[in-house]
Amino acid sequence: MGIYVLAVADPSNSLEWMIFLAQKYSSMFVEGTWLTLYIAVIGTLLGFVLGYVVGIIQDIRISQGDNILKKGLCRLLKAVASIYVEVFRDTPMIVQAMIIYYGLRQAGIEMTPVFAGVLVTVLNTGAYMAETVRAGIGSIDLGQREGAWAMGMSPMKTMLYIVLPQAFKNIIPEMANTFLTNLKMTSVLNVIAVQELFMAAKTVGGNYYKYFESYLVIAVIYFVLCFIFNKLFIFMEKRMKGKADYALAVEYMDNQ
């Protein structure tokens, strides 16, 4: 039983050119898609970890009873975290990529474009997630912390076991938005020669001077990827919220 593949011998319109380019350069588009996913996933996951650390540092409270060394260290960490967040939130990712990649090369630090792309994504994601984590932590009622402290839990254990699990649920939508943004923002990494999806389309389009049709191909790919991951995040968010009928059991007991 043969497998028939749609082929366009002499494309005459944009749709036929899209099919032609997608078939002829399928391997290039697949490799670009894979590299885009790799950078987005690794960069986002590590960025989440960095964002949590920076967010927790920003939430550190300095009390009057703390010793001078602790106060000085906390203020220094909070200042470094604040500067880092402001720098990476107030500059474009494309500029960050150019400065980090070419700047470090001038300083004698060699790195591959892919490693630089992941590093830029991590630092950019960490800066945005830090503010999200800080807001998520602030959304948790202070009474829960005070209750945990009254039971003898240390501030660190209170943060790890009481505050962060609840804050994590609150910031899942923003985490999903950040990942989808990173998935699309990897396109700017072509300026440091990362062979991601946008670079693949740029190369393919240049072969026939059909940039419009080539970019339409990757537009479809970006849409499918974002659509699938968005549905996965929505499913995960619903699962973490639990069943919607928990409150009904309470109402039932109250009516007895």
Side-chain angles (χ1 to χ4, degrees), residues 12 60 117 175 213 223 240 243 245:
S12 59
I60 293 177
M175 291 172 63
E213 289 79 4
F223 175 81
M240 292 195 68
K243 297 181 179 179
D245 58 350

Side-chain angles (χ1 to χ4, degrees), residues 101-118:
Y101 181 63
Y102 293 108
L104 292 179
R105 285 175 67 90
Q106 287 187 6
I109 302 175
E110 295 293 332
M111 64 175 66
T112 64
V114 174
F115 181 85
V118 172

Side-chain angles (χ1 to χ4, degrees), residues 146-173:
E146 295 174 345
W149 296 336
M151 295 175 63
M153 295 183 69
S154 66
M156 181 59 69
K157 286 186 176 180
T158 301
M159 179 64 69
L160 291 176
Y161 298 112
I162 304 298
V163 179
L164 285 183
Q166 298 180 77
F168 178 75
K169 292 183 179 180
N170 294 340
I171 65 177
I172 284 180

